[in-house]
Structure formats: structure tokens, C-alpha cells
Amino acid sequence: MAFSPDPPFYPDLPFSPVSSLSFNLNSLSCQESDTPKRRLKLSPESGNPSPEALPVATETETPAGHSPSLPCRLETKRRSKSQTPARHTVPRPVYNLRRLSCFQEIDVKQIPDSEEKGLIGDFSKACILPVEEGKHQDLTYISARTVAALLDGEFERLIDEYVIVDCRYPYEYNGGHIKGALNLYTEEQLINTFFPRHASPCLGKKCRVIIFHCEFSSERGPKFCRNLRRMDRNANVYPRLCFPELYILKDGYREFFQEFETFCEPQGYIQMHHKDYREELRTIRRKAHSVTRYRRRKELFKVANGR
């Protein structure tokens, strides 16, 4: 019986990809693990590290924006500082809103000051007063008990000055309010009180606390608190503030009066929609709407004339 001769072997020719794969499979062995699954481990004769020694590929991106692939060999040398690629950082935006205007359309929720929980507006320190969870996530709330403790002098060693701003209408304020509270229910009053024309509102590094509230602290109090923070941002360079520590009285005057009536003067409570003050409420709202329309026309006139 005749045998066919073996095909000629050429040692100088390189292996094809399939031949290389078949050749490398001979050095693989199967090892039992603690789990039911099996895993492949390179034999010591192959000279390559086992899968446990290989670096784990992460999802971090390279400076070119592509995910790095797993290296074939384990790198044992660290990169020198000269070989480290330059790190490109995105510049942080600076809110240089120099013009003080409470009617400028700026969404305070977009400014990353309320996003840091437990810190005051300029991020310099933690809030002095104990904070409560509230309706609006971008505002800082305190309880009625904390306000009562503040009035009772329990925080006098920590706070140099505090102001309680009652944002209710005058007939509500006159019917009963927290002792020492200021009745500010228009934006003009807010500007004249905290940003007077011929005086600097930033008086050194005094610890000043401002507390806003209305009947339920759901609309008027939060609105005026945001307006003051917006005016403060416009008057300073971010993140500096003249009034960094602003609070909202949780659940408003109604809750405070029910728990601490003795801290109110006179000791009474008049609702905003009280039947005896309907006409006064209409007059106040009508005047506020007319002032708002006038200012909007004025701002549109300035924009149309390029001012």
C-alpha cells in the first residue's frame, strides 16, 4: 500500500491567525472554582499572568474620548509626569450679574447654591440653625420650635443678628405676627430694606440670619426668599453673598401661632381669605398686577431701544 508523502513544512513562514490561536489553546488549562461556573487560567509554562492578575478594565475615557482597551501585557512601570496626558478641565461658570434688578429673569434653581445641602449660600460653612425637610428642595427650612428658641435667646452666642420677614399682607400682619417681624410684602420694600441706595449691605463677616414666612410658607415666603437671593447674586460675584444664610419658617405663621402663641403680638391670626378683608385683598392684588404690567412694558421698551 502506497502512502502519500507529508506536505512540506516551511519554518520561516509566520503562523496564520488560526494557527496561532490553535497553538495558544494548548497552553490553557481548566481550574475548578468555588462557583458552579468554570474559568480558564493560563498555565505557568505559558509565562503569562493569570486572569486574576490582569488589570480590570474600567469605563473611564481617555483624553481622545475612546475607552481604553485591555493591554496584552501587564504594565509594571508607572508613567512619568511628562508622559501623563494633559487633563482638560471644564471652566466653572462665573455668575457675574452686576446689575441689581429683582425683575431680571434668572432662575435661582439653576444656580448651584441650593444643590449643596446643609451649607449656606456661599458654601463657607454649615447652617447654624437645625434644618428641616420642606416643600421646595432649593430652599432651607426650619421649624417653629427653632424660631421660638431663636426668639428666646438660645442662639445669641452663635448669631450676631437675625431678621424675621413676614410676607403677608398688612391686614394679616396687623391681626397678629411674630414679635419683631418686619412686614415686607412688595419687592420695593425688599430692595429698600436689604439693599439701600446709600449704604453697603455687606457689613463685614457678621453672622446674619434672615427668616421668611407667610401664612403657610408655600408661595409668598418662598418667592421673596428667592428674590432676595437673586438680588444678592446680581450684586456680587459668585459665590460671594451679602446674606448667605436664608431660611423658611416651615408651615408658616399658622403653625407657629398654634404652638407658640405667646411669641406673637397681638396674639391673633387672620387668614388671607378672611371674609371681612376681601375688598382689601382685591385692592392689593389689583395694585400689584398694575405695577407688574408697568415694569414689564418698561423692560420691553428698554430692550426694543437697545439699552
Side-chain angles (χ1 to χ4, degrees):
M1 182 170 54
F3 294 94
S4 59
D6 294 333
F9 176 71
Y10 300 97
D12 296 334
L13 295 178
F15 286 148
S16 65
V18 177
S19 301
S20 300
L21 179 61
S22 301
F23 181 79
N24 292 331
L25 286 176
N26 295 329
S27 61
L28 296 178
S29 63
C30 186
Q31 181 182 5
E32 291 290 341
S33 62
D34 296 335
T35 59
K37 297 181 180 180
R38 295 178 181 271
R39 56 185 178 183
L40 294 177
K41 182 178 181 181
L42 296 177
S43 61
E45 292 80 5
S46 61
N48 294 327
S50 62
E52 290 90 346
L54 290 176
V56 180
T58 60
E59 296 181 0
T60 55
E61 294 186 356
T62 59
H66 303 286
S67 298
S69 59
L70 189 65
C72 297
R73 296 180 179 272
L74 185 63
E75 294 290 339
T76 58
K77 296 182 179 180
R78 294 185 178 180
R79 290 182 177 179
S80 61
K81 295 183 179 181
S82 60
Q83 295 177 351
T84 304
R87 184 178 179 182
H88 301 282
T89 58
V90 180
R92 190 173 183 179
V94 178
Y95 296 89
N96 190 5
L97 308 175
R98 302 298 298 174
R99 187 169 65 91
L100 176 61
S101 173
C102 63
F103 310 104
Q104 187 175 355
E105 294 297 332
I106 302 174
D107 191 0
V108 180
K109 297 179 181 180
Q110 301 292 334
I111 301 177
D113 62 287
S114 58
E115 293 72 7
E116 296 286 342
K117 296 299 181 182
L119 297 179
I120 63 176
D122 59 359
F123 316 116
S124 60
K125 61 181 180 178
C127 296
I128 294 180
L129 302 180
V131 177
E132 300 281 335
E133 291 292 333
K135 178 181 178 181
H136 304 277
Q137 298 297 323
D138 61 308
L139 301 176
T140 306
Y141 287 79
I142 57 176
S143 65
R145 187 173 299 276
T146 301
V147 176
L150 182 64
L151 294 171
D152 204 26
E154 295 185 13
F155 296 95
E156 60 183 3
R157 295 182 179 180
L158 302 176
I159 298 174
D160 298 323
E161 180 184 358
Y162 69 90
V163 179
I164 300 177
V165 180
D166 192 334
C167 303
R168 298 178 300 160
Y169 299 135
Y171 65 89
E172 299 175 86
Y173 177 84
N174 295 330
H177 59 269
I178 301 175
K179 291 182 179 181
L182 298 178
N183 185 213
L184 307 178
Y185 65 98
T186 64
E187 293 181 343
E188 290 85 359
Q189 294 174 344
L190 194 67
I191 295 176
N192 295 333
T193 301
F194 294 102
F195 292 95
R197 293 184 177 181
H198 304 290
S200 175
C202 299
L203 302 176
K205 294 185 178 180
K206 287 186 177 182
C207 181
R208 292 177 291 180
V209 169
I210 303 176
I211 304 169
F212 290 84
H213 78 87
C214 54
E215 185 176 2
F216 304 103
S217 290
S218 60
E219 183 178 353
R220 290 176 288 177
K223 176 184 176 182
F224 274 74
C225 183
R226 292 190 182 107
N227 285 346
L228 180 60
R229 175 54 53 83
R230 182 178 62 216
M231 288 186 286
D232 207 350
R233 291 291 186 202
N234 291 349
N236 293 282
V237 178
Y238 184 87
R240 186 174 180 271
L241 290 170
C242 296
F243 308 100
E245 200 153 355
L246 307 182
Y247 296 96
I248 299 290
L249 171 59
K250 187 177 181 180
D251 298 327
Y253 179 77
R254 178 185 178 182
E255 182 72 17
F256 185 86
F257 176 75
Q258 292 177 355
E259 295 187 19
F260 304 98
E261 183 179 351
T262 56
F263 286 97
C264 301
E265 57 179 5
Q267 295 181 5
Y269 166 46
I270 295 180
Q271 300 178 3
M272 183 181 70
H273 294 285
H274 195 281
K275 60 181 181 179
D276 296 338
Y277 299 93
R278 291 177 180 175
E279 187 61 32
E280 188 170 353
L281 177 61
R282 293 194 193 99
T283 303
I284 293 174
R285 287 182 169 178
R286 192 182 306 114
K287 183 178 180 180
H289 291 165
S290 62
V291 170
T292 302
R293 287 196 298 268
Y294 169 76
R295 284 180 177 154
R296 286 179 179 175
R297 293 196 203 99
K298 188 176 180 180
E299 291 295 328
L300 291 174
F301 180 77
K302 289 181 179 180
V303 173
N305 287 272
R307 297 182 182 180

